[in-house]
Amino acid sequence: MRQRRPVLLAAAAALLAAPLAAASFTVSPRLPASADAVEATVRGHFSGCVYGIQASIERRTVHLAVAYSGVTSCPADRDRVFVTKVPSLTPGTYIFQLEDQSTVLDRQTVKIAVEQTALALGGGRFAAHLDFRTGGEPEPTAARAVALTGESGYFWFYGPLNPEVTLKVLDGRGVNGHFWVFVSGLTDRPFTLVVRDDGSGCAGPLCAPERTYTGAPGQLATIVDLQAF
Amino acid sequence: MFPSLPARCSRPAFAALAIAWSVAAAPALRADNESLTFEPPLPTTDDVVVAVVHQTGSCRVWIDVDRSGGVLAVLAREGLSPCPPDVAAALATQRLSLGRLSLGVHLVEARMQPPSNAVLATGGTEVLPAAGGSDPSFDLDPRLPTSEDAIELRVRGTLYCVTGLESASVDGFLVNVVPMFLPIDPCPPLPPVDRTFALGELPPGEYRVALADAPIGGFHVAAPSSILTLRFDGVDAPVRELSAALDRSYPPLGLPRLARAVALGDQAGYFWFFEPGNVEVTLKLLDGRPINGHLWVFASSLTDRPFTLTVIDQSRCDSGDPPSCPTRTYTRGPGVVRSIVDLAAFPD
């Protein structure tokens, strides 16, 4: 009976605590890749017996379950925020589901992308790749790429929510016959960005299908190339 | 024996009916306790699926796979009768390869070979998309759409017996992509399909994407916003919540003054002026408190248009009416393309 008591108390606490009226969550980063640490931030009006959110994975569903402490006398309900880490996910589409005692409070579809070191822009016509150095290492490191739109994206070095170099390629052919490249750096680490035009159909020595842009150490690079391709 | 089916029944509906029926009628069928499982238990389109037949007290030998008639089946022939116990034990578990299966729910029958065709067990397995996006996957442009954005859906993958993608339609919160099938079986290897569909603007909400009624994923359409909400959680420090907005000084006539904001997470986001695909300013806040006691503001500019970026610390507002909150303002004039770095933005 003593061993069952905590279980009974937890069950009683769960029964006494009414299901949440409203709660929601956000997933960060919003464009996760398979190697990223994913977190879910849950916001709602919670029973005082709620001590956190427990994340578990079942096939393609990530369950975010409201967890209750095993006490029968609960503090007053109040607005609270919980942040919980989600176990690592392989690439694919998942349903994230916030649950309170088998009631689904909120649901979102989240796509876990394959890690990328190249940005495909312009419908795949342009491919961009960025290498950087943080110290005196002999070989540069390939930055991870996150596409935002068909024209824009960014590279990160240390974390997906810490963009270091933002890139966009715009179609300026209607203005001056060229595609335009814009690069903006938020890092003073040296980097080399290569943008390649895979769809020019150009061949021969006068073609320049690649453009290389560099960020000097100790400086924030801002590059506008209106003659890129 | 089988429930009567509508003349035209979609594959998932048929599978659901048959599986439900097989569960309900199972005792009458499983005179020798046949049952059907699959390996791997959670197959993807990359896996070779194996049907595992479990039987008790029977000398049936499971010898073939039949794909005709629209239902996948494993076939058996009768063995010794009565069945010696040692032979029955050796034949208790038998495996047959079904090969790679296409995405979706597959109903499999375990039945006697012709002319009997008696169904001994029925099972089903759901084949999921393979990791790595080789089968069918989709991408959105923009990747984080709002209800004001003209959304494009690109669907691609290598699909069994599919030569192309005919159309995509939106029905409520379901986006159904219709494939074009090659009407032969078995199918030869076909090149991957790749097509982009213009979905237009969609109301906010959670959407499901289906390919020939089989789900391949979903996406979220957010309500448009001009405010970025950012947040820092300290281990032994109170939570800091900040908001950011970008005022496009002198916007073109008829366009809103505030840029649209898209959050990338709790501490980063971007703003656009003219169209969601054209990112203009990317903002990130870093927690520099362990180093110099401040939150740091970084903003990369990809525009020469003038703007004013305002970041407000919502968690440090005073109790005045109206409340006054710590605010940092950054401006860029016309023709200036330069990033913003503030390492003394918001003290702890």
Side-chain angles (χ1 to χ4, degrees):
Chain A
M1 184 62 184
R2 276 191 185 176
Q3 290 175 341
R4 292 173 54 194
R5 189 169 182 182
V7 174
L8 292 174
L9 286 174
L15 287 172
L16 288 171
L20 299 174
S24 63
F25 68 94
T26 55
V27 174
S28 182
R30 291 187 66 199
L31 297 173
S34 55
D36 297 342
V38 178
E39 290 184 341
T41 301
V42 178
R43 294 178 173 84
H45 196 71
F46 288 85
S47 157
C49 277
V50 172
Y51 71 85
I53 305 294
Q54 292 181 337
S56 61
I57 302 171
E58 179 189 13
R59 296 184 69 162
R60 294 290 184 175
T61 301
V62 177
H63 299 277
L64 304 172
V66 176
Y68 290 84
S69 60
V71 298
T72 54
S73 176
C74 296
D77 295 1
R78 63 187 191 278
D79 291 336
R80 298 172 70 185
V81 179
F82 296 102
V83 180
T84 187
K85 296 190 191 312
V86 177
S88 62
L89 300 169
T90 56
T93 300
Y94 294 80
I95 302 293
F96 278 58
Q97 199 160 276
L98 177 63
E99 301 158 351
D100 179 24
Q101 301 176 50
S102 76
T103 299
V104 176
L105 302 175
D106 192 11
R107 179 185 283 132
Q108 291 180 28
T109 302
V110 178
K111 182 175 180 179
I112 306 296
V114 177
E115 293 179 65
Q116 300 282 353
T117 55
L119 264 183
L121 302 173
R125 172 169 177 165
F126 302 100
H129 179 89
L130 187 144
D131 292 326
F132 70 98
R133 295 176 193 271
T134 57
E137 66 269 32
E139 294 296 327
T141 303
R144 288 270 301 280
V146 179
L148 296 175
T149 70
E151 300 167 321
S152 315
Y154 67 86
F155 294 91
W156 61 264
F157 302 168
Y158 308 112
L161 292 180
N162 189 356
E164 303 285 5
V165 178
T166 309
L167 165 70
K168 71 179 179 183
V169 178
L170 300 183
D171 187 352
R173 289 177 295 179
V175 178
N176 68 350
H178 287 77
F179 284 90
W180 303 340
V181 173
F182 295 76
V183 181
S184 181
L186 288 177
T187 178
D188 60 355
R189 304 290 183 181
F191 67 83
T192 302
L193 171 66
V194 176
V195 183
R196 188 178 70 247
D197 182 357
D198 287 331
S200 67
C202 180
L206 296 181
C207 285
E210 276 189 4
R211 302 288 277 197
T212 301
Y213 309 95
T214 57
Q219 298 179 17
L220 297 184
T222 301
I223 301 162
V224 178
D225 185 354
L226 303 183
Q227 308 280 334
F229 297 102
Chain B
M1 294 173 64
F2 280 93
S4 59
L5 296 170
R8 294 180 60 175
C9 185
S10 69
R11 196 175 189 192
F14 174 74
L17 277 171
I19 290 172
W21 165 78
S22 69
V23 169
L29 285 176
R30 297 180 183 175
D32 293 317
N33 295 322
E34 275 88 358
S35 64
L36 203 52
T37 60
F38 301 90
E39 292 173 350
L42 301 175
T44 72
T45 49
D46 277 348
D47 296 322
V48 172
V49 181
V50 173
V52 184
V53 181
H54 308 270
Q55 58 187 18
T56 306
S58 169
C59 278
R60 290 192 184 103
V61 180
W62 296 87
I63 56 172
D64 200 6
V65 176
D66 178 30
R67 301 175 195 275
S68 62
V71 177
L72 193 55
V74 290
L75 305 180
R77 63 172 171 77
E78 286 293 359
L80 297 172
S81 181
C83 187
D86 56 341
V87 178
L91 297 176
T93 302
Q94 299 180 48
R95 291 176 166 79
L96 295 95
S97 172
L98 304 179
R100 288 190 174 83
L101 302 179
S102 59
L103 184 74
V105 174
H106 295 266
L107 175 70
V108 181
E109 292 180 343
R111 64 171 185 247
M112 298 302 298
Q113 64 183 4
S116 168
N117 294 316
V119 177
L120 303 176
T122 303
T125 185
E126 181 183 4
V127 179
L128 300 173
S134 62
D135 298 79
S137 64
F138 66 90
D139 296 294
L140 293 178
D141 189 12
R143 290 184 69 193
L144 297 171
T146 73
S147 55
E148 288 185 336
D149 302 335
I151 300 170
E152 289 191 338
L153 176 76
R154 181 183 183 187
V155 182
R156 46 188 167 166
T158 304
L159 305 167
Y160 182 72
C161 250
V162 172
T163 60
L165 301 173
E166 181 178 336
S167 63
S169 61
V170 181
D171 181 8
F173 290 95
L174 174 67
V175 179
N176 196 36
V177 181
V178 179
M180 293 184 283
F181 286 103
L182 195 62
I184 59 175
D185 188 31
C187 274
L190 295 173
V193 299
D194 186 345
R195 184 169 174 185
T196 300
F197 300 96
L199 302 182
E201 297 178 6
L202 299 175
E206 291 293 318
Y207 288 79
R208 292 172 294 121
V209 181
L211 182 62
D213 297 324
I216 61 172
F219 59 90
H220 176 76
V221 176
S225 175
S226 294
I227 306 292
L228 272 182
T229 300
L230 307 152
R231 175 186 173 86
F232 287 87
D233 293 309
V235 175
D236 293 313
V239 169
R240 301 284 287 275
E241 287 202 347
L242 302 96
S243 60
L246 194 125
D247 185 332
R248 327 160 357 149
S249 314
Y250 318 116
L253 192 64
L255 291 181
R257 192 176 179 93
L258 287 182
R260 282 293 190 221
V262 179
L264 295 173
D266 286 340
Q267 288 143 28
Y270 66 88
F271 297 92
W272 59 267
F273 294 165
F274 303 107
E275 55 181 16
N278 189 353
V279 173
E280 303 286 12
V281 175
T282 303
L283 171 69
K284 70 179 182 183
L285 266 64
L286 297 183
D287 191 351
R289 290 176 291 183
I291 297 175
N292 68 351
H294 288 74
L295 298 178
W296 300 345
V297 174
F298 293 77
S300 69
S301 171
L302 292 173
T303 180
D304 62 351
R305 304 277 177 164
F307 66 83
T308 299
L309 173 66
T310 303
V311 184
I312 301 173
D313 189 344
Q314 302 284 4
S315 52
R316 295 294 173 85
C317 299
D318 62 24
S319 55
D321 185 18
S324 173
C325 310
T327 301
R328 302 290 278 196
T329 303
Y330 313 92
T331 60
R332 286 291 180 266
V336 175
V337 184
R338 196 167 72 240
S339 298
I340 296 164
V341 178
D342 186 353
L343 304 184
F346 297 100
D348 207 356

